[in-house]
Amino acid sequence: MEKTKLEEIKEAVRQARRIVFIGGAGVSTASGIPDFRSPQGIYNIESEYGVAYETMLSHSYFLSHPREFYDFYWKTMVHDSAKPNKAHRVLARFGQRKRIAIITQNIDGLHQAAGSDIVYEPHGSISHYHCQECGRTYSLSEIPHQGIPRCECGGVIKPNVVLYEEPLDEAVIDDCLTEIRYCDLLIIGGTSMRVYPVAAFPEYMLSGKKIMINAEPTPYDKECDYVIHEDIGMALEAILGVNDD
């Protein structure tokens, strides 16, 4: 990164009073979690089930084919060995000295595992589950990681992940928009900014600077004050002034 540009960004970070980070799948790929839309992403790999992945991750498919859904889910969506990487750790350590709200499109829970305490998950999380019959809640550690998990009442347990055909939680969306509306520095990282409604969130920002960090160019680059096409962990470490040691 050009030194002058880096110093300008670091000064913007120092002066900011409310910082928001919007992250996508690219934040977690270094933890061994595949993304969805890159050439090597899940959506571009031929399905062994003969069904499009978007269909497999739909609410109707979950209801009609729970066994196939969970077979895919345990193999593809839950990564028990994944650990927070540099990007997660740097954001968490920065949050210990200055407030930063994290809005993640990911469902892996790695920001919380790294120690971040202000995390919004509009797409839900693999960490939480509920019974479709009685509503009892479960954590990931409380259910078997194979087959169809069932509640003590006999009901099928569903992950608290927003599937296709399901609405996002309006309360979570409202909280995200409130954070963005009043922030004066928005950092966007590891996302193509093509998935809505999160891709529209930056438009609610009233004033301030926007920074884009992504390995590849995105359609939103032109809307940002600074654009960094580098490794997200290294870039965050540099601009936030946090050492990941």
Side-chain angles (χ1 to χ4, degrees), residues 13 19 90-100 240 242:
V13 171
I19 302 175
V90 166
L91 287 166
R93 291 179 183 179
F94 180 80
Q96 293 174 356
R97 70 186 196 197
K98 190 168 188 175
R99 186 186 191 279
I100 182 169
L240 297 180
V242 176

Side-chain angles (χ1 to χ4, degrees), residues 17-35:
R17 291 168 296 178
R18 292 180 66 95
I19 302 175
V20 172
F21 174 81
I22 296 179
V27 176
S28 292
T29 51
S31 295
I33 298 177
D35 63 13

